[in-house]
């Protein structure tokens, strides 16, 4: 059975899980490359100073703090969205499970005698949506953890560069 056939058997909830997957992994890739680029900037002291001086015009510590806050905010954007999408995909999987079980019990209530084949459709839907919801949520949660750790490392290095830049301003 192909992945597409499994996707269709999962019912309409699968569309929501797929959307969580596409949006979550798109944001992850964007943040991954954004962090990679920013790491290149802050890892080289001369390049970092050039980058900072391009944003800090008056070269005072107050402006450095404002720049720090803005950069921190911009880099952090998107991580919480990935976390939300991971949680929501799990909940969509659970919703599909409940809907599949409702279908199964509707079949049971409508017939005096049921066969396993009659019940299989609802059970298929329940299990598939649970599995797909988890297949999306687990990697998204891992990506959130990865990005948070990478973010902490970047902020440590960046704060160090800002302090060094501030010291050079004070010594000038």
């Amino acid at each position: 059975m192909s992945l597409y056939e499994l996707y269709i058997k999962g019912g309409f909830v699968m569309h929501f899980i797929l959307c969580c997957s596409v949006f979550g992994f798109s944001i992850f890739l964007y943040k991954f490359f954004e962090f990679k680029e920013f790491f290149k900037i802050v890892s080289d002291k001369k390049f970092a100073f050039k980058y900072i001086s391009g944003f800090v015009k008056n070269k005072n510590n107050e402006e450095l703090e404002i720049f720090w806050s803005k950069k921190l905010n911009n880099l952090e954007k998107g991580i919480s969205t990935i976390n939300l999408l991971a949680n929501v995909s799990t909940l969509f999987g659970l919703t599909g499970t409940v809907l599949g079980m409702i279908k199964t019990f509707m079949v049971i209530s409508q017939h005096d005698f049921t066969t396993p084949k009659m019940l299989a459709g609802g059970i298929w839907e329940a299990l598939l949506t649970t599995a797909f919801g988890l297949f999306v949520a687990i990697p998204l949660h891992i990506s959130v953890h990865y990005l948070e750790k990478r973010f902490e490392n970047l902020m440590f290095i960046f704060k160090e560069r800002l302090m060094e830049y501030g010291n050079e301003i004070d010594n000038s």
Side-chain angles (χ1 to χ4, degrees):
M1 188 169 286
S2 73
L3 189 60
Y4 177 74
E5 290 170 327
L6 291 173
Y7 177 82
I8 295 302
K9 281 191 179 283
F12 77 94
V13 175
M14 295 291 272
H15 302 306
F16 298 110
I17 296 171
L18 179 63
C19 287
C20 288
S21 175
V22 169
F23 290 130
F25 289 112
S26 297
I27 295 168
F28 170 74
L29 287 174
Y30 177 80
K31 297 307 288 181
F32 177 82
F33 288 113
E34 181 183 32
F35 284 10
K36 187 175 181 178
E37 187 65 31
F38 193 65
F39 182 76
K40 283 182 193 175
I41 292 169
V42 297
S43 60
D44 180 11
K45 188 174 180 177
K46 284 185 180 181
F47 197 62
F49 281 12
K50 193 180 223 183
Y51 175 80
I52 293 167
S53 65
F55 290 97
V56 178
K57 304 297 180 211
N58 296 329
K59 295 186 178 183
N60 60 41
N61 285 334
E62 184 179 318
E63 194 171 8
L64 281 175
E65 285 298 320
I66 292 169
F67 175 61
W68 162 257
S69 297
K70 285 181 181 177
K71 195 62 186 173
L72 183 79
N73 191 32
N74 283 341
L75 282 173
E76 201 170 26
K77 280 183 185 172
I79 296 174
S80 62
T81 304
I82 299 171
N83 197 34
L84 173 69
L85 290 169
N87 291 330
V88 167
S89 66
T90 306
L91 294 174
F92 279 133
L94 180 61
T95 302
T97 302
V98 171
L99 292 175
M101 294 313 293
I102 288 171
K103 278 185 181 179
T104 301
F105 285 109
M106 285 175 67
V107 168
I108 292 170
S109 70
Q110 292 172 354
H111 298 90
D112 292 331
F113 177 74
T114 57
T115 64
K117 190 171 185 172
M118 294 169 71
L119 304 176
I123 295 171
W124 261 103
E125 183 176 325
L127 294 174
L128 286 172
T129 55
T130 302
F132 274 76
L134 291 172
F135 283 143
V136 170
I138 292 168
L140 286 178
H141 276 297
I142 291 169
S143 70
V144 166
H145 179 74
Y146 171 82
L147 289 175
E148 285 174 343
K149 290 298 174 194
R150 185 78 191 232
F151 176 77
E152 287 173 15
N153 292 339
L154 279 173
M155 287 302 97
F156 178 77
I157 295 168
F158 187 53
K159 184 72 171 179
E160 215 173 50
R161 293 293 182 251
L162 279 175
M163 288 170 49
E164 290 168 355
Y165 185 78
N167 289 339
E168 282 202 12
I169 290 172
D170 292 341
N171 294 334
S172 307

